[in-house]
Amino acid sequence: MIMVHPPRRRFRSLTVVLLLLSAMALALGPIPSSAAESHWWDPAARPTPDARINVTGEPFKGTDAQGHVRGFVDAHDHIMSNEGFGGRLICGKPFSEQGVADALKDCPEHYPDGSLAVFDMITKGGDGKHDPNGWPTFKDWPAHDSLTHQQNYYAWIERAWRGGQRVLVNDLVTNGVICSVYFFKDRGCDEMAAIRLEAQKSYDMQAYIDRMYGGPGKGWFRIVTDSVQAREVIEQGKLAVVLGVETSEPFGCKQVLDKPQCGKEDIDRGLDELYKLGVRSMFLCHKFDNALCGVRFDSGALGTAINVGQFLSTGTFWKTENCRGPQHDNPIGNAAAPEAEKRLPKGVAVPSYASGAQCNTRGLTDLGAYAIRGMMKRNMMLELDHMSVKAADQAFDVLESESYPGAISSHSWMDLNWTERLYRLGGFAAQYMSGSEAFSAEAERTDALREKYKVGYGYGTDMNGVGGWPGPRGGNTPNPVKYPFRSTDGGSVIDKQTTGERTWDFNTDGAAHYGMVPDWIEDIRIVGGQGVVDDLFSGAESYLRTWGKTEKHASGENLASGAAASASSSEWWNPAIGYEPGKAVDGDIGTRWASEWNDDQWLRIDLGSSKPVKRVTLDWEAAYAKSYRVELSEDGANWRTAWATAAGDGGLDTARFAGTQARYVRVKGLERGTRWGYSLREVGVYSD
């Protein structure tokens, strides 16, 4: 812009006018300025008394020089789990209109000494006895090994935000079976009812914090429903909160004696409802096998207890087999869980398991695949943790068939051998909040992959998730966390956290509650080095990239849909059904092409004209090809191999290759994987 300087006399007149306008503005009220935003991060009306934050300095705003948001991401937390499981499994609330004394108090049955804290006995061991008083003394809780007490008080989350966290995934969680068998509850056990309540409470907490800052939209806790909104929130220096779901029987999709208790209409109705609530990521199975997928087992006594729950929910115990590849589920073991086993019917016992059989026989069901595709239609992100390796493998097949990036591993429950497959899709990985030594060592194992794919890293605190958290390294450790310390961005000073009469020191208390997340990150810096923390500080950007690509994803056009098809042969034994070639391109996975029972067979598809072909998907029925080729041709006579494998294992295969012009696509079977022929439910041909 060209500036024309006025004569000096005019400048003086303008100065007088500006001074007069300024005086008028001061009389009428404050003018917009950087001074008007002074201490924007401090609320005007924090409840009194309340927990202290013990962080000074302005939370960082904006992006880095490359335009990337900065900050940590907790990809797996359970702020509202006190509302799940019947309402009395997790004691205390993340906020209360009546104040901190009401929020941070124990369950009624824990008074006077914890003798009836049954779930505490099961998860922690011992007799469950503890001082039930929370505010203001906090003698025994929250603690890193207390799994039944509130760890997500809003002010503790605020401290984590002030320490550099910019994304928090709040997984709405419950378990109907645990609710039904637990002695104490004050509400029903319907899982979807609990999910709805937790979602509403999350919005209530946002409004509660907003009121401290002067009204709607002004607080630091912002529930977001798309990645653009999340970026805007983070650039304002605030915390972007994403709603997820982790429950064992979503949409009522349990199974009883191997029979699904839901259908496709239940899945569609459930996904629509969750999306309307603001949910953007979810698990399909959790702890118990359900009508959608088999689970990755828990180990030890907890695993036995959950297997009891599996039986009570489904009528069947977990079933195992030898794993087919390097990936494996957690070993079940044969540990006793007496309190849980008392719940079994007379004469029923938890089976013993062979030590070498570590994989769940159950994978992804057809209903599970339908649910994944339903999530893809709604541009939601799929949580792969808790899926059995068989189910995860099949889920990856579905995602890869569409080049769908919305894949998340949020808290170390996915086999690490899947990590590159996850990154190749464009997905995001986070690690469970373990001790700094273990966390740093596991981060190092996947460091080369993060470098290769240029991605950041996340953590999953799983607080209020009955998992256990990093214990103290000891007050006499040679390299302790030294208070106060600076935040990773350097702009804030963090001191020991105080709530009521209790002050927590990470060196002697460990990760007792959510407010200790910054202290834990400082411990990682000391133990694991700045490189691990730098990867974590890039986590928010990587998570939002995955989410953004998921939102923008659109399914490619299937060039084979309804195309003319021919084959070397077609099975003929049931003419009433028909297995002709066109059944492989009719868009119906309930039909299929099937060949005669010989190795040398083929299926040919005529696209009608020459088109660029880059990807071919093959949905095999039980009769699959162990060795086969995908061939292309312009004239239907001269063929060239675009892709081949000798290690086919059935299921859904995706063949990718350099884009090639072709009119004809041929699947050439070389060796059968079964004694039958070849059978394809659907073949897809794509240019992308």
Side-chain angles (χ1 to χ4, degrees), residues 245-539:
V245 164
E246 181 184 41
T247 191
S248 294
E249 295 163 355
F251 329 128
C253 282
K254 66 185 299 178
Q255 61 177 11
V256 177
L257 299 176
D258 298 325
K259 300 293 184 183
Q261 305 298 298
C262 69
K264 293 179 178 179
E265 62 281 359
D266 298 301
I267 293 170
D268 285 330
R269 184 166 54 249
L271 286 173
D272 284 342
E273 179 182 8
L274 290 180
Y275 194 89
K276 187 176 181 180
L277 288 173
V279 172
R280 295 298 180 265
S281 68
M282 71 173 294
F283 294 76
L284 290 187
C285 49
H286 175 239
K287 300 304 181 184
F288 305 149
D289 297 335
N290 61 24
L292 306 177
C293 52
V295 294
R296 198 173 191 211
F297 310 128
D298 282 81
S299 299
L302 180 60
T304 300
I306 292 174
N307 202 5
V308 170
Q310 156 94 8
F311 180 85
L312 296 176
S313 174
T314 69
T316 60
F317 291 105
W318 288 328
K319 298 175 184 177
T320 65
E321 64 184 6
N322 292 331
C323 302
R324 301 177 182 179
Q327 297 82 11
H328 60 81
D329 295 322
N330 299 317
I332 300 175
N334 297 297
E339 289 298 322
E341 291 176 86
K342 289 177 184 177
R343 291 286 182 174
L344 291 172
K346 187 176 181 179
V348 177
V350 178
S352 296
Y353 294 94
S355 59
Q358 290 190 12
C359 280
N360 195 336
T361 60
R362 299 180 190 272
L364 188 71
T365 68
D366 286 345
L367 280 175
Y370 181 84
I372 291 176
R373 294 191 183 280
M375 291 180 67
M376 292 163 65
K377 288 178 182 177
R378 294 163 178 83
N379 299 101
M380 298 171 72
M381 293 179 284
L382 173 68
E383 291 269 9
L384 292 157
D385 288 6
H386 289 297
M387 281 186 172
S388 68
V389 293
K390 180 182 285 188
D393 185 22
Q394 294 166 318
F396 271 118
D397 286 344
V398 175
L399 297 171
E400 289 165 347
S401 72
E402 296 276 358
S403 300
Y404 192 78
I408 304 287
S409 173
S410 61
H411 66 328
S412 299
W413 269 82
M414 181 188 77
D415 190 294
L416 274 183
N417 289 300
W418 294 129
T419 304
E420 182 158 21
R421 201 171 176 185
L422 179 83
Y423 285 152
R424 192 183 299 122
L425 269 173
F428 180 80
Q431 184 187 152
Y432 188 82
M433 186 187 186
S434 55
S436 52
E437 296 99 332
F439 188 94
S440 300
E442 185 172 327
E444 185 177 358
R445 290 174 62 189
T446 53
D447 182 65
L449 285 176
R450 290 195 299 279
E451 178 64 28
K452 177 179 178 180
Y453 290 94
K454 306 300 180 188
V455 294
Y457 205 32
Y459 49 81
T461 62
D462 202 15
M463 294 240 173
N464 287 3
V466 197
W469 297 274
R473 290 198 292 124
N476 59 353
T477 184
N479 55 344
V481 172
K482 295 179 180 179
Y483 294 92
F485 59 88
R486 285 204 168 270
S487 58
T488 299
D489 65 288
S492 296
V493 176
I494 302 169
D495 210 338
K496 294 178 184 178
Q497 200 282 319
T498 297
T499 301
E501 299 170 9
R502 177 77 185 271
T503 296
W504 281 271
D505 182 327
F506 190 84
N507 301 299
T508 54
D509 296 311
H513 58 68
Y514 207 92
M516 304 302 288
V517 168
D519 313 54
W520 171 70
I521 291 172
E522 173 67 3
D523 201 47
I524 288 175
R525 185 193 67 79
I526 293 167
V527 172
Q530 187 63 42
V532 181
V533 177
D534 288 344
D535 278 3
L536 291 172
F537 202 60
S538 300

Side-chain angles (χ1 to χ4, degrees), residues 37-262:
E37 292 188 355
S38 178
H39 286 262
W40 60 269
W41 57 93
D42 287 330
R46 187 184 297 280
T48 302
D50 204 1
R52 296 173 60 185
I53 308 303
N54 303 104
V55 179
T56 58
E58 181 176 0
F60 59 87
K61 295 181 177 181
T63 58
D64 63 17
Q66 290 74 43
H68 302 154
V69 299
R70 300 171 293 162
F72 304 114
V73 52
D74 180 356
H76 193 104
D77 186 32
H78 301 293
I79 299 175
M80 296 297 169
S81 65
N82 59 291
E83 303 292 352
F85 309 100
R88 298 269 276 275
L89 200 73
I90 305 297
C91 304
K93 296 177 279 192
F95 77 101
S96 171
E97 299 288 352
Q98 285 71 52
V100 64
D102 181 65
L104 297 179
K105 65 182 180 182
D106 217 334
C107 291
E109 59 274 9
H110 287 202
Y111 292 88
D113 63 356
S115 294
L116 292 179
V118 179
F119 194 66
D120 211 51
M121 298 180 207
I122 294 172
T123 57
K124 189 177 180 180
D127 58 9
K129 290 187 176 181
H130 63 274
D131 182 347
N133 292 317
W135 177 271
T137 56
F138 298 105
K139 179 182 176 183
D140 287 337
W141 66 271
H144 72 91
D145 58 352
S146 174
L147 311 188
T148 63
H149 293 98
Q150 182 60 243
Q151 295 176 296
N152 277 310
Y153 186 58
Y154 91 91
W156 298 337
I157 297 174
E158 181 177 350
R159 175 179 162 89
W161 159 63
R162 292 284 300 275
Q165 186 170 304
R166 290 297 179 267
V167 175
L168 188 159
V169 180
N170 176 26
D171 282 318
L172 315 176
V173 64
T174 192
N175 184 291
V177 173
I178 292 176
C179 172
S180 66
V181 301
Y182 191 52
F183 303 98
F184 306 103
K185 61 181 73 69
D186 55 22
R187 65 199 64 175
C189 296
D190 180 81
E191 291 194 352
M192 290 302 291
I195 295 303
R196 295 182 194 106
L197 177 61
E198 291 181 39
Q200 182 58 55
K201 289 290 185 178
S202 299
Y203 287 103
D204 290 347
M205 180 165 151
Q206 176 177 256
Y208 174 79
I209 295 170
D210 277 354
R211 287 195 292 275
M212 294 183 204
Y213 287 81
K218 294 188 176 182
W220 53 268
F221 184 95
R222 312 303 323 147
I223 297 174
V224 296
T225 55
D226 62 61
S227 64
V228 173
Q229 189 181 22
R231 287 186 181 277
E232 291 171 350
V233 164
I234 296 169
E235 287 173 1
Q236 294 167 12
K238 299 182 180 183
L239 179 68
V241 179
V242 185
L243 297 185
V245 164
E246 181 184 41
T247 191
S248 294
E249 295 163 355
F251 329 128
C253 282
K254 66 185 299 178
Q255 61 177 11
V256 177
L257 299 176
D258 298 325
K259 300 293 184 183
Q261 305 298 298
C262 69

Side-chain angles (χ1 to χ4, degrees), residues 626-648:
K626 180 179 179 182
S627 177
Y628 68 96
R629 298 192 298 256
V630 174
E631 301 174 328
L632 304 177
S633 174
E634 287 275 48
D635 58 9
N638 298 294
W639 298 92
R640 56 191 179 279
T641 299
W643 188 88
T645 183

